[in-house]
């Protein structure tokens, strides 16, 4: 089965001219692994390609999880494949430097992104331009609801207080009127968080360039325009979870002498599922929001498939439609799992009869109507976009295929309607699997090495006072001793002291920069591992690095 799929996928990659693309992605991942930079599966990077798995572009075996290659690459799809790769947050820059050296400084650039004037920001900008007092502008801005897709028009409809302010105060009316004209326009340019372009020659031959305020070189065209002219876009994301896993594994090795291979941990560890089932998901990738923790307590996941489904279902659409409650009720046996046709059982049994993934829609079209997986992906896309003309054509093709397989029109219509309904909410299983796998690794460390996990998590959030307080409180609730800061015991980061607990890291003390901390630690080493007094520290320390505030 592996050999057959691999032959097919390699042939497909060569036929579509994407062999070089895979080799480029593999090249910078191979470099990162050799340098010890943690690499994780990004969004879509587990997209069903056995080739990508064999080259270790992704760590998720597509055949184990029934991830479909055609969801990612097929002859009907004309755009380049998109593999987003996550790297350790601290070392992402090294990978970009490597790519620049390897392919040439003239051939590599980051991508520009344009900040647009959203509802609140445009009100503040217009108010400033009209010389209105800050308090007056702030009063208007605070009346705009904080929803993601909010516009001034929607704000006036949803908030009667704002509507009343516009009617009564001509100054407020002027701000809102000008704001409506400017809303959505580009406000400033910055560097895209992840996008990097690699061109076959100097980028100036293909796209205009822009020099930012910090001398960074980016394209003048944004992500979509860069793709439209056919340039190769890579997504290099910095992911703090990978940094957390790396720090935790290194601390386990330092204190316990255990070299843990995080990619080879068992996927059926009861302690890990207990962490999920209790909703103790603080610090766990994709699962730490309060709503998701409540859902975990209801659902009590028992296998990786459950985590994949929860990751896919915890979205506004499925939550509003009641799909999530239906999934939980079926999982716990409160609702009977029924299938319209026996052919649906092998496709939907993993999600208890609920269509949770785009790949399931594709499998149903293949099993019931004889679609190729390439055609099924076109159907899946059409259902997501809800184009009536395209949908009418697809429905006709589905009905015809179903008749040929002996399925009566009434059943076929019902199943097509179900697919159409769920396709609007369906999520990419490849994306969800990659994320659930990373979440499981994080939870495994939390369940089996709680002290080491807490030390790594607190280090990652050392500069975020709110999160630091939350995670310190959770550590104490879970019985993890947190030892106070100590100039003779603390390290730069939070660390584990065997038999004692987690020692507070100096990096979390406000006003202490990393340079000053390293200088203090150097003094401690020179003094034999112990600083006897403040006087001794002052004598030894370079006072150009440590000022009065550092000592205080």
């Amino acid at each position: 089965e592996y050999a057959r799929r691999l032959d097919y996928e390699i042939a497909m990659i060569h036929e579509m001219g994407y062999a070089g693309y895979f080799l480029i992605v593999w090249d910078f991942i191979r470099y990162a692994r050799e340098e010890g930079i943690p690499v994780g599966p990004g969004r879509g990077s587990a997209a069903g390609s056995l080739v990508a798995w064999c080259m270790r572009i992704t760590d998720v075996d597509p055949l184990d999880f029934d991830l479909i290659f055609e969801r990612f690459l097929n002859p009907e799809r004309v755009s380049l494949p998109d593999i987003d790769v996550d790297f350790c947050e601290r070392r992402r820059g090294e990978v970009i430097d490597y790519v620049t050296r390897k392919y040439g400084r003239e051939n590599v650039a980051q991508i520009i992104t344009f900040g647009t004037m959203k509802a609140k920001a445009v009100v503040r900008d217009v108010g400033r331009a009209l010389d209105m007092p800050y308090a007056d502008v702030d009063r208007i801005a605070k009346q705009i609801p904080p929803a993601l897709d909010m516009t001034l028009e929607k704000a006036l409809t949803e908030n009667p207080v704002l509507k009343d302010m516009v009617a009564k105060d001509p100054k407020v009316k002027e701000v809102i009127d000008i704001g409506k004209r400017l809303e959505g326009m580009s406000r400033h340019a910055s560097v895209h968080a992840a996008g990097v372009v690699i061109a076959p020659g100097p980028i100036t031959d293909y796209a205009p360039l822009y020099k930012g305020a910090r001398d960074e070189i980016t394209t003048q065209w944004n992500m979509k325009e860069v793709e439209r002219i056919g340039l190769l876009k890579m997504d290099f994301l910095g992911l703090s979870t990978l940094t957390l896993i790396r720090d935790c594994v290194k601390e386990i090795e330092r204190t316990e002498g255990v070299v843990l291979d995080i990619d080879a941990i068992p996927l059926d560890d009861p302690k890990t599922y207990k962490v999920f089932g209790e909703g103790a998901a603080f610090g766990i990738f994709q699962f730490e929001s309060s709503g998701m923790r409540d859902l975990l307590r209801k659902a009590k996941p028992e296998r990786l498939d459950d985590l994949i489904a929860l990751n896919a279902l915890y979205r506004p659409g499925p939550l509003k439609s009641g799909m999530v409650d239906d999934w939980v009720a079926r999982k716990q046996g409160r609702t009977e799992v029924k299938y319209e046709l026996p052919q649906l059982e092998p496709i939907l049994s993993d999600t208890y009869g609920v269509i949770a993934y785009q790949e399931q829609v594709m499998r149903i079209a293949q099993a019931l109507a004889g679609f190729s997986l390439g055609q099924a992906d076109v159907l899946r896309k059409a259902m997501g976009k809800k184009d009536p003309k395209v949908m009418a054509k697809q429905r006709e093709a589905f009905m015809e295929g179903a008749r040929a397989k002996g399925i009566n029109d009434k059943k076929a219509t019902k199943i097509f309607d179900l697919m159409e309904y769920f396709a609007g909410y369906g999520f990419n299983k490849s994306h969800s699997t990659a994320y659930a796998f990373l979440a499981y690794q994080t939870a495994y460390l939390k369940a089996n090495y709680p002290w080491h996990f807490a030390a790594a998590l607190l280090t990652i959030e050392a500069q975020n006072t709110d999160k630091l307080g939350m995670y310190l409180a959770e550590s104490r609730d879970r019985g993890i001793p947190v030892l106070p800061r100590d100039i003779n015991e603390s390290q730069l980061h939070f660390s584990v002291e065997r038999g004692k607990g987690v020692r507070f890291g100096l990096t979390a003390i406000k006003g202490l920069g990393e340079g000053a901390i390293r200088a203090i630690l150097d003094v401690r080493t020179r003094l034999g591992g112990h600083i006897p007094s403040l006087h001794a520290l002052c004598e030894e320390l370079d006072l150009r690095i440590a000022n009065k505030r550092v000592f205080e």
Side-chain angles (χ1 to χ4, degrees):
E1 168 69 3
Y2 269 76
R4 187 185 66 73
R5 284 293 295 177
L6 195 54
D7 277 346
Y8 163 73
E9 293 180 9
I10 288 170
M12 181 78 80
I13 287 167
H14 280 284
E15 183 190 322
M16 299 183 73
Y18 293 152
Y21 173 87
F22 274 82
L23 289 169
I24 289 170
V25 179
W26 176 71
D27 173 65
F28 56 71
I29 291 178
R30 178 190 52 76
Y31 162 78
R33 290 188 196 277
E34 282 173 4
E35 295 296 313
I37 300 171
V39 189
R43 292 174 290 119
S45 73
S49 169
L50 199 54
V51 178
W53 181 72
C54 288
M55 294 175 88
R56 290 197 70 203
I57 286 171
T58 177
D59 294 319
V60 174
D61 180 349
L63 291 193
D64 272 1
F65 295 99
D66 194 29
L67 307 179
I68 301 171
F69 182 69
E70 288 80 1
R71 169 63 188 84
F72 172 61
L73 193 64
N74 70 68
E76 283 87 356
R77 173 178 171 160
V78 291
S79 56
L80 271 168
D82 184 24
I83 298 181
D84 297 359
V85 191
D86 291 329
F87 296 97
C88 162
E89 199 172 42
R90 289 193 204 115
R91 304 186 65 190
R92 171 180 172 262
E94 290 176 44
V95 183
I96 294 175
D97 288 345
Y98 169 75
V99 171
T100 307
R101 290 197 311 272
K102 169 97 180 179
Y103 298 102
R105 179 156 292 283
E106 303 81 24
N107 301 12
V108 177
Q110 288 184 263
I111 298 174
I112 205 164
T113 184
F114 297 103
T116 54
M117 293 196 190
K118 299 278 193 306
K120 274 193 182 188
V122 82
V123 162
R124 293 188 187 280
D125 283 352
V126 170
R128 198 179 302 120
L130 295 175
D131 286 333
M132 277 180 78
Y134 175 80
D136 293 351
V137 179
D138 193 50
R139 197 165 45 86
I140 305 167
K142 280 182 175 165
Q143 293 304 325
I144 297 167
L148 269 177
D149 55 349
M150 186 51 61
T151 64
L152 290 175
E153 201 60 63
K154 273 172 84 174
L156 288 167
T157 314
E158 289 179 20
N159 188 352
V161 177
L162 182 64
K163 200 173 180 179
D164 192 47
M165 284 167 72
V166 169
K168 288 179 180 171
D169 189 335
K171 275 191 174 177
V172 175
K173 186 179 186 307
E174 186 183 10
V175 168
I176 298 294
D177 286 346
I178 296 172
K180 279 184 190 173
R181 296 205 296 277
L182 296 175
E183 197 174 16
M185 289 178 78
S186 293
R187 182 181 187 276
H188 59 270
S190 57
V191 182
H192 188 275
V196 174
V197 164
I198 303 173
I203 290 198
T204 46
D205 292 351
Y206 302 89
L209 297 182
Y210 167 82
K211 191 174 187 179
R214 296 178 188 164
D215 289 347
E216 65 273 20
I217 304 293
T218 69
T219 58
Q220 278 189 37
W221 293 333
N222 69 18
M223 189 172 68
K224 286 184 178 154
E225 286 151 351
V226 160
E227 280 184 329
R228 202 180 303 146
I229 62 159
L231 282 174
L232 178 67
K233 176 184 76 73
M234 300 290 181
D235 276 333
F236 293 167
L237 297 126
L239 188 66
S240 61
T241 301
L242 290 172
T243 310
L244 183 149
I245 290 173
R246 173 180 173 270
D247 287 355
C248 188
V249 168
K250 283 182 83 173
E251 194 67 358
I252 291 165
E253 188 179 347
R254 185 184 72 81
T255 57
E256 308 296 321
V258 175
V259 180
L260 180 70
D261 182 356
I262 196 67
D263 295 322
I265 56 174
L267 295 179
D268 57 355
D269 178 53
K271 280 186 183 175
T272 305
Y273 289 110
K274 188 169 185 277
V275 163
F276 281 115
E278 289 172 351
F282 279 119
I284 293 175
F285 182 62
Q286 294 280 304
F287 284 85
E288 72 170 339
S289 70
S290 58
M292 182 56 109
R293 294 200 314 274
D294 288 344
L295 182 54
L296 285 170
R297 283 188 279 267
K298 283 184 206 163
K300 301 271 187 268
E302 298 156 312
R303 55 193 183 135
L304 195 61
D305 282 318
D306 292 344
L307 297 179
I308 297 168
L310 285 167
N311 205 289
L313 291 169
Y314 190 72
R315 321 248 152 219
L319 286 166
K320 276 182 193 168
S321 71
M323 274 170 73
V324 179
D325 295 330
D326 191 24
W327 182 87
V328 171
R330 290 176 182 213
K331 180 191 176 298
Q332 292 175 349
R334 297 199 307 271
T335 302
E336 190 187 345
V337 179
K338 288 180 182 174
Y339 302 96
E340 288 293 329
L341 289 167
Q343 295 97 308
L344 295 178
E345 188 167 349
I347 299 168
L348 300 179
S349 58
D350 277 351
T351 50
Y352 311 102
V354 172
I355 302 174
Y357 313 121
Q358 295 166 352
E359 286 86 343
Q360 288 172 322
V361 169
M362 291 166 68
R363 284 265 185 242
I364 293 168
Q366 184 191 34
L368 301 190
F371 279 34
S372 72
L373 285 172
Q375 289 170 310
D377 190 46
V378 174
L379 169 70
R380 187 262 323 156
K381 210 176 276 182
M383 285 178 162
K385 288 184 176 170
K386 295 181 170 39
D387 184 322
K389 280 185 185 173
V390 180
M391 281 309 299
K393 266 188 190 174
Q394 292 292 341
R395 183 182 284 272
E396 199 178 307
F398 183 86
M399 297 300 287
E400 205 174 300
R403 279 186 213 110
K405 284 189 171 270
I407 296 164
N408 71 53
D409 280 10
K410 195 178 174 185
K411 275 266 192 250
T413 303
K414 188 175 181 183
I415 289 164
F416 190 88
D417 290 342
L418 261 178
M419 284 163 65
E420 194 175 357
Y421 173 72
F422 281 112
Y425 302 133
F427 195 66
N428 176 346
K429 188 183 182 186
S430 304
H431 180 162
S432 196
T433 303
Y435 274 11
F437 183 63
L438 204 53
Y440 179 88
Q441 289 178 326
T442 323
Y444 179 88
L445 292 171
K446 184 169 189 172
N448 292 279
Y449 298 95
W451 289 16
H452 302 82
F453 177 84
L457 182 62
L458 292 165
T459 296
I460 294 288
E461 299 297 348
Q463 304 309 312
N464 185 333
T465 315
D466 294 342
K467 277 199 167 183
L468 189 66
M470 184 173 79
Y471 292 146
L472 281 166
E474 201 226 5
S475 296
R476 292 189 181 106
D477 290 346
R478 289 177 66 79
I480 298 167
V482 180
L483 309 170
R485 10 179 143 41
D486 186 313
I487 201 161
N488 280 316
E489 301 293 340
S490 291
Q491 305 297 329
L492 172 64
H493 299 313
F494 285 80
S495 56
V496 171
E497 292 183 12
R498 287 195 72 181
K500 293 182 181 177
V502 175
R503 175 69 67 181
F504 206 95
L506 297 177
T507 189
I509 299 171
K510 286 211 165 187
L512 271 187
E514 193 170 320
I517 297 169
R518 291 196 184 279
I520 292 165
L521 295 177
D522 284 346
V523 168
R524 193 165 82 190
T525 306
R526 288 203 300 275
L527 293 174
H530 184 80
I531 299 169
S533 66
L534 181 61
H535 195 272
L537 178 63
C538 292
E539 280 186 334
E540 288 288 331
L541 196 60
D542 182 346
L543 298 180
R544 287 169 303 178
I545 295 171
N547 57 20
K548 183 184 170 195
R549 191 176 170 202
V550 166
F551 283 104
E552 285 171 353

